[in-house]
Structures are given as structure tokens and as C-alpha cells.
Amino acid sequence: MEKDLVEYIAKSLVDDPDNVSVNMIEGEKSTILELRVAQDDIGKVIGKHGRIAKAVRTILSASSTKDGKRVVLEILD
Amino acid sequence: MIKEFEGKTEQEAIDKAVAALNLDREKFDVEILDAGKKGFFKKTNVKIKIHMHEDRAEETTIDTKNSNTTEIATNSDFEEKVLEFVSQVITKMGYSSKVMIAYRKDNKIGLNIVSEHSAIMIGKKGKNLDALQLLANVYAGQIDNTKKIVVDTENYRIRHEEQLVRMAYRTAVQVKKTKKSKLLEPMNPFERRLIHTALNDIVDVETKSEGEGLYKRVRIVHKSTRRSDLL
């Protein structure tokens, strides 16, 4: 499931895994995942020029193709 | 089933085919597509087409997939963790896979994903594979930032490189013929470097990169046109 996926990746990349939370908002055609991490870890999940965030979104869309639902990842601070 | 192979000599191409398909030499027919015109390019390649006997076709596709599954046991906590990370990500994406170490070379560790969903593992233009590789490298960098992780499945990376170089040669021939420059698709630095080096020793054509950012485009130009531009 996509929520676990984002949570697992985020927890693996940050210094403070206890402060990672993912909130899922399910819509009819798309699911929104809101990712929150500790203030100091935001750079770790976004990366230079958003490289990491982009990779996570790519992985998410590869994951969601099997059930045909769009998944949107938002990183909140 | 038909497949194409290339080598410096006809024999090398056939040997490659035998190795890649895990087939005996008698199990397929060879058709020579391009005998490699002498002196045209400095590196002349012989191109051959392999016609496999149909009844064996299905079996051989499975063989190809398994031919690269030489597994190397992890020899450190670091490798163990990276392997675990990549296979966990794929599992949580909802796909079954087996991730293993395919090779170690200098500071590179090559991971091979064996999965029936390899098309998804690769993605459009290798997008998914690149994303997985990037995440694996970010993760690995926290533990040991001297090591580079290369993520591959079904030898996609080598096949893709060969295809790029072949495409570059083809385009260079066109540029030579028409003397008009050609602009290639946007590519990352590694891919562009492949093109530049592949066309480096071809007379009459030159390569340049155009554009901004990570994904620039290579333009192949005929040398005579460049000279007249300068005059």
C-alpha cells in the first residue's frame, strides 16, 4: 500500500524516523498523501532541486499503476 | 523469435548471442545484417540476426531472464542493509521480486532485480529504475558515502547503452550523407558521454551538447558546415 511505501522510504532517509507521519486522504480517483517529517529532515526527503521528492513520486506512480488510482504526494512543513 | 547482436567480428557476435540466450550454436540460424564495412568507422561492428527455432522460443526467454542471476552473497552489514532497503521498497510497491548482488567493481555495487514485473521495474525510458537507484544511493550514502549503487534488471542498462550507441552511429551516418546537423533526445550526462565517446573517432562529424540543466541534448554536426559557419 502506498501509505506504507512513503512511510518506509521517508523513515529510511531521515535522521529522526519517529517524527515521520503520513496522512492519507482518499478521493474517488486519486489519493493524497501528506508527508510530515521533522523540520531538520525536510531537505532529506526533498533533495537538491527536488531530486528525492521526484524519485519518490516516480516510485509512487509505478506502484499505483496496478490499481489505476492516482497518488499525489505532498510534503508539508 | 528473432534477436540482433553485434560484435567486432562475426564470431564474436555469435558468441555473444550464445552467451546471452544461453543456447547451443545449433539451436539458431544466423543472418548477417551488416558485415562491418572496412574503414567506414574505425570501430567496425558486425551485426547479425538470430533466428531461433520456434519450439524453443518460450523456453529461451525464460533462460535469458535467469542467465544473469549469478548471486553473490552479501559480505557486509552495509550490503545487507542496501539490499533489504531496495527489496522492501519493491515489496511495498506491491510487486514480488528478488534483489541480489550481481557484481562488485571498484566502488560500485551492482544490484540485480529479478521480477516478473520487470517492465514496471524499468518504467518509461528507465525512469523507475533510475528512481529506485537514486533512492538506493541516498540511503546507502548515509551509511557509507564512498560506495555507488547500480540498480539493474534483465541487463536493461547494458542493452540501453548499446541501443544508444547504435542510434548515435545511425544518426552520424545520416549527418555525413546530408551534411545537416541532427539534434538528439534529451539525455543525462552519463548517456551524453557515451554518445560523445562513441562518435569521437568518426571523421567528418562532431558532437556538442545543447541546452541547460541535467538533461541536455547532443547535436551531431558535419564538420564542413561548422567551418562555413565560422567563415
Side-chain angles (χ1 to χ4, degrees):
Chain A
M1 179 141 106
E2 279 75 27
K3 183 175 181 274
D4 292 341
L5 177 61
V6 172
E7 203 169 279
Y8 177 75
I9 295 173
K11 284 190 172 172
S12 306
L13 301 183
V14 298
D15 290 331
D16 182 3
D18 294 339
N19 267 319
V20 170
S21 67
V22 181
N23 182 29
M24 185 168 75
I25 304 158
E26 219 160 340
E28 208 173 292
K29 278 190 180 143
S30 59
T31 306
I32 299 170
L33 295 174
E34 296 178 327
L35 171 65
R36 274 192 185 79
V37 298
Q39 194 63 40
D40 292 342
D41 280 331
I42 285 186
K44 293 239 161 66
V45 291
I46 295 176
K48 273 182 210 147
H49 300 289
R51 269 167 68 234
I52 300 174
K54 200 176 155 198
V56 176
R57 290 192 173 110
T58 304
I59 296 292
L60 267 178
S61 68
S63 168
S64 59
T65 47
K66 64 180 185 304
D67 27 54
K69 211 171 178 188
R70 253 168 59 85
V71 178
V72 181
L73 174 68
E74 284 178 12
I75 299 165
L76 303 179
D77 58 0
Chain B
M1 200 165 132
I2 298 167
K3 282 209 163 152
E4 282 184 27
F5 288 92
E6 246 181 273
K8 287 192 194 76
T9 60
E10 190 189 326
Q11 192 53 48
E12 192 188 301
I14 294 172
D15 289 345
K16 268 190 194 169
V18 171
L21 303 169
N22 209 5
L23 269 183
D24 293 329
R25 173 64 190 86
E26 311 80 67
K27 299 273 159 53
F28 55 83
D29 296 317
V30 176
E31 180 191 332
I32 297 169
L33 293 176
D34 187 348
K37 288 172 214 125
K38 279 243 167 68
F40 193 56
F41 299 134
K42 275 182 191 160
K43 279 181 207 151
T44 47
N45 274 346
V46 179
K47 229 187 239 178
I48 59 165
K49 201 184 239 179
I50 301 294
H51 297 266
M52 273 168 268
H53 304 309
E54 285 309 325
D55 55 329
R56 302 269 310 172
E58 204 156 318
E59 219 175 303
T60 51
T61 37
I62 299 161
D63 280 355
T64 343
K65 283 186 180 175
N66 292 336
S67 62
N68 197 35
T69 54
T70 39
E71 191 172 357
I72 303 176
T74 52
N75 69 356
S76 62
D77 201 27
F78 169 73
E79 290 181 349
E80 193 66 53
K81 278 183 171 163
V82 175
L83 219 58
E84 171 68 14
F85 174 75
V86 176
S87 56
Q88 275 293 326
V89 169
I90 299 171
T91 308
K92 289 187 193 293
M93 283 167 76
Y95 302 106
S96 57
S97 75
K98 183 162 168 38
V99 185
M100 55 188 80
I101 294 177
Y103 61 87
R104 294 189 191 97
K105 196 183 163 220
D106 305 328
N107 59 345
K108 279 187 194 152
I109 298 173
L111 301 187
N112 182 31
I113 302 169
V114 181
S115 170
E116 49 188 317
H117 308 283
S118 56
I120 293 162
M121 295 299 116
I122 296 168
K124 232 188 232 165
K125 291 189 180 174
K127 200 173 67 157
N128 299 350
L129 206 55
D130 286 342
L132 263 176
Q133 178 168 303
L134 184 131
L135 292 180
N137 274 294
V138 175
Y139 177 74
Q142 300 175 314
I143 313 169
D144 179 350
N145 61 12
T146 62
K147 297 255 173 34
K148 275 252 176 294
I149 313 294
V150 178
V151 180
D152 201 357
T153 181
E154 289 181 12
N155 292 324
Y156 171 78
R157 297 207 182 272
I158 291 169
R159 282 191 288 140
H160 181 62
E161 280 172 29
E162 281 173 355
Q163 188 209 329
L164 274 177
V165 171
R166 236 177 292 147
M167 181 272 301
Y169 278 141
R170 263 203 315 273
T171 318
V173 172
Q174 282 176 16
V175 170
K176 264 180 139 173
K177 249 189 224 154
T178 62
K179 302 200 174 179
K180 278 186 181 152
S181 70
K182 284 232 167 196
L183 195 58
L184 305 179
E185 291 290 296
M187 283 178 239
N188 69 33
F190 175 78
E191 295 171 324
R192 286 200 307 277
R193 193 166 172 270
L194 273 176
I195 309 279
H196 290 308
T197 36
L199 300 185
N200 193 25
D201 35 52
I202 295 183
V203 281
D204 292 345
V205 296
E206 263 187 355
T207 52
K208 313 178 200 182
S209 292
E210 285 183 11
E212 283 299 307
L214 198 60
Y215 288 87
K216 295 189 183 99
R217 302 176 73 172
V218 174
R219 185 184 285 280
I220 304 178
V221 222
H222 195 274
K223 275 183 183 160
S224 67
T225 52
R226 186 190 59 116
R227 242 174 267 128
S228 61
D229 280 351
L230 289 171
L231 285 172

